[in-house]
Amino acid sequence: QVQLVESGGGSVQAGGSLRLSCATSGYTSDLKCVGWFRQAPGKEREGLATVFARDSSTYHADSVKGRFTISQDNAKNTVYLQMNDLKPEDTAMYYCAAARPPTLCYRLRANEYPYWGQGTQVTVSS
């Protein structure tokens, strides 16, 4: 089993920055990737970015490319999402999720990531 715990959410004004953390534990040795998703009220869950465990390569959705950056620290078993130039439309619950092979991680489809954290709220005010 895999456990994921998000932290770092909060309230920020437009143009500000936040760094979210996702601590992983449990049976993580064969994970293929860890991704970040978000879900705003009344909207579908949206895939933002994913990082591949083996070589730390990353993939970012076009909607956040240039503003959000995913990274991982293997020594700390933690994946980060650095969010810059935040906008009110970034307000959502943010989740990290993990997947094993043969998931095609770059597709960032929520139903293809079986392991999820509880989420952390991000609120951006104008």
Side-chain angles (χ1 to χ4, degrees), residues 6-39:
E6 302 95 335
S7 60
S11 297
V12 64
Q13 289 191 328
S17 299
L18 283 173
R19 188 177 77 158
L20 305 182
S21 299
C22 172
T24 64
S25 62
Y27 191 59
T28 61
S29 59
D30 65 343
L31 288 179
K32 182 175 181 180
C33 56
V34 175
W36 282 98
F37 296 76
R38 69 184 177 189
Q39 188 166 20

Side-chain angles (χ1 to χ4, degrees), residues 71-92:
S71 63
Q72 67 180 1
D73 184 333
N74 289 331
K76 296 182 178 180
N77 292 322
T78 300
V79 174
Y80 302 99
L81 185 68
Q82 178 67 44
M83 305 187 295
N84 298 327
D85 190 24
L86 283 161
K87 308 176 187 300
E89 52 264 41
D90 293 318
T91 295

